[in-house]
Amino acid sequence: GPQQPVGLLQATPAPERVLARPSAEEVAAPAAVPSAGPVRSDPASASQQEGAPVAPTVLIVDDNVRLASTVAAFMEMQGFRAHPAHSAEEALFAAQQVRFDLVLLDINMPGMDGLEVCRRLLATSPGMRVLMVTGRDSEEDPLRAAAVGARGLLTKPISLAALRDEMLRALAD
């Protein structure tokens, strides 16, 4: 009867509990950790059993939420394990939870810029490959990206296919 919908409404969590934990990384990170665990322990036997190499794990960092999500979805379709992040803080938090093979990192973000994120990521994970992305046509950006340890600098707009090829090239180095 009419009491069922009321019961459902009462079962939903209180709004303040929902608002208390708004950050996406808290939801996304724990799910990503278990999947990363077994792969790291013995990549050789895992890839032989599955008959395929272990999917590279990539972090896509851009303050443009739609862009980061689109690139991450495309890379998932290409066989990568992709994780979008929309701020410097979110990227650094994600990198503490998951070992990423490659980070695609926008230089120009509000707050901490991509150069500082790159510096911090490589300080804690020296083997990580970082590709930087810029929307500017600037002479200094390629030099600044190289100075913090990035493997390359790509200029937007860039096609998804070209982006994938650059990421594969960086992973092959």
Side-chain angles (χ1 to χ4, degrees):
Q3 287 178 343
Q4 274 182 323
V6 175
L8 287 172
L9 289 173
Q10 288 168 342
T12 52
E16 59 272 11
R17 275 191 52 217
V18 176
L19 293 172
R21 298 172 76 81
S23 53
E25 66 267 28
E26 289 180 346
V27 179
V33 174
S35 65
V39 174
R40 203 179 318 139
S41 60
D42 193 358
S45 64
S47 61
Q48 283 161 5
Q49 286 162 10
E50 295 160 27
V54 176
T57 309
V58 295
L59 178 62
I60 313 291
V61 189
D62 200 306
D63 58 300
N64 178 329
V65 173
R66 183 179 294 158
L67 182 68
S69 301
T70 300
V71 172
F74 175 77
M75 297 312 292
E76 289 271 348
M77 291 184 335
Q78 301 296 313
F80 289 75
R81 301 215 316 263
H83 180 101
H86 309 123
S87 69
E89 294 72 20
E90 203 178 321
L92 293 169
F93 181 85
Q96 290 170 356
Q97 311 300 313
V98 179
R99 194 186 67 78
F100 291 101
D101 299 303
L102 177 73
V103 180
L104 187 69
L105 185 54
D106 189 17
I107 282 191
N108 312 301
M109 292 189 290
M112 189 192 304
D113 70 2
L115 296 163
E116 179 60 26
V117 175
C118 181
R119 199 177 286 121
R120 293 187 185 197
L121 288 174
L122 292 175
T124 54
S125 308
M128 185 183 282
R129 295 168 174 89
V130 180
L131 279 179
M132 311 234 33
V133 183
T134 182
R136 299 185 297 217
D137 184 20
S138 139
E139 307 243 328
E140 302 88 58
D141 279 352
L143 302 172
R144 289 162 59 205
V148 293
R151 299 290 179 103
L153 176 69
L154 313 175
T155 306
K156 295 177 192 173
I158 183 169
S159 75
L160 288 171
L163 195 56
R164 176 200 60 212
D165 293 347
E166 290 294 336
M167 291 168 77
L168 289 169
R169 191 172 298 132
L171 285 164
D173 277 356

